[in-house]
Amino acid sequence: MSILAWRDALAVPCISRLFPADKRGDWPDCLTPGQAAALQRPYVVGVDTQGRRQMDALASVIKDACLSGALPCVEEVKVISPPAPPVQEKNPFFASDEWLSEFSLKSTARPQLNKKTKEHREYFIKPVDLLAWFNSCELVPTQHLAAWFKAQGVALATESSSAPEAPAIKKGDVTDWPSLVRYRQQFVKLDAQKRPGWPVEHIVILGAALKAEKASHSKGATKRVASELGTSSQRVTELLKREDYKDWLESSASPINRVYQSAGCNPKSA
């Protein structure tokens, strides 16, 4: 659906006027600073004066980054020649061609002052480089610019991180309180619904840690333990009320229970 997103972008006047008519078939491979700014901060032409200023400001910052080398780009120079002066018709009844060519103010042979050629420099930025610069500036691509990145096959940060990385510490590696804290801290940035569940073995370690914390500090123990795990006091309380944890406490023959007891906590009184 990238072509539809491209048509949506071209429907915005402040965007379409920056893309030549002969290059509107599909998303361009590179963008100029002005084009990138228009896709990122479109505005309503003739109405949104503030929006125009914000777009121009972003275009200026992007161009400055190109000039400083902070943003890699390809520079192209176009030579703009002045238009040829109009041909003046000479009146043969008043002067000869030779006289006109040398003395007449309208002579085409007279040197043209201030008609020097000019150079226009433009900077073209690849999608990978622009996205890297956006990330370094903590800028989040908006609708049309995000569609351009997607059409070029460049994944945004939110897309590439949608699948959580394999944890550095796996569930089975948790054997004590420090390793449990490291394990749970890997998921603190995820929504609560996306975090891994709590096996009873981990709740056992949690219960022992909470008991030890209460023994040394009577007030605020649950809150401190929850903070280390990156969760809430309510969640800690809920975990310790789970039926499988209660069943574990009733089973003194459990090997895990013996580990729990060796940590200095009597499961019957936890």
Side-chain angles (χ1 to χ4, degrees):
M1 299 297 288
S2 64
I3 191 64
L4 179 59
W6 173 232
R7 293 290 180 263
D8 289 342
L10 290 178
V12 181
C14 74
I15 294 176
S16 60
R17 69 182 186 179
L18 295 177
F19 293 89
D22 60 339
K23 295 183 179 180
R24 296 182 182 177
D26 204 345
W27 290 103
D29 295 332
C30 298
L31 294 177
T32 66
Q35 291 170 345
L39 290 173
Q40 176 70 5
R41 293 181 175 177
Y43 67 96
V44 180
V45 176
V47 177
D48 189 3
T49 305
Q50 181 63 23
R52 172 63 187 269
R53 294 196 189 100
Q54 291 176 340
M55 189 205 75
D56 289 342
L58 179 59
S60 177
V61 171
I62 295 175
K63 184 177 180 180
D64 289 344
C66 291
L67 292 173
S68 67
L71 176 54
C73 63
V74 176
E75 180 182 0
E76 290 188 7
V77 180
K78 293 183 180 180
V79 178
I80 303 176
S81 301
V87 178
Q88 303 292 338
E89 295 183 0
K90 302 169 185 176
N91 192 332
F93 296 100
F94 294 97
S96 66
D97 289 347
E98 291 76 10
W99 187 91
L100 285 171
S101 65
E102 185 172 356
F103 300 106
S104 173
L105 293 177
K106 295 183 179 181
S107 171
T108 57
R110 181 172 58 88
Q112 300 294 320
L113 301 177
N114 299 323
K115 293 293 185 179
K116 296 180 180 179
T117 59
K118 297 181 180 180
E119 289 185 350
H120 175 71
R121 298 177 182 273
E122 194 58 270
Y123 306 92
F124 294 90
I125 311 164
K126 296 180 180 179
V128 173
D129 295 327
L130 184 60
L131 181 58
W133 184 80
F134 259 60
N135 291 337
S136 68
C137 298
E138 297 184 353
L139 292 174
V140 179
T142 55
Q143 176 188 354
H144 300 303
L145 190 60
W148 177 67
F149 284 128
K150 185 175 182 180
Q152 300 302 314
V154 178
L156 303 182
T158 53
E159 296 174 355
S160 61
S161 60
S162 58
E165 297 180 358
I169 301 179
K170 298 180 180 179
K171 179 175 64 175
D173 297 332
V174 176
T175 57
D176 53 16
W177 177 245
S179 59
L180 176 61
V181 171
R182 291 197 302 272
Y183 175 73
R184 299 306 305 186
Q185 281 292 331
Q186 296 174 124
F187 311 105
V188 292
K189 293 184 179 180
L190 297 179
D191 294 336
Q193 298 82 355
K194 296 182 180 180
R195 297 180 186 182
W198 279 79
V200 67
E201 295 87 351
H202 292 187
I203 303 177
V204 168
I205 298 174
L206 168 61
L210 180 58
K211 185 176 181 66
E213 185 68 20
K214 286 181 177 180
S216 57
H217 303 87
S218 59
K219 295 183 179 180
T222 303
K223 184 177 181 179
R224 287 191 295 274
V225 168
S227 177
E228 287 192 57
L229 294 172
T231 188
S232 64
S233 300
Q234 180 181 356
R235 179 58 174 157
V236 170
T237 303
E238 291 173 352
L239 290 170
L240 297 178
K241 290 181 179 180
R242 264 180 30 181
E243 290 299 324
D244 55 350
Y245 176 61
K246 292 180 180 179
D247 292 341
W248 180 90
L249 292 178
E250 296 297 327
S251 176
S252 60
S254 170
I256 302 176
N257 202 325
R258 289 196 294 270
V259 172
Y260 185 91
Q261 292 173 347
S262 66
C265 176
N266 184 353
K268 296 293 184 179
S269 60

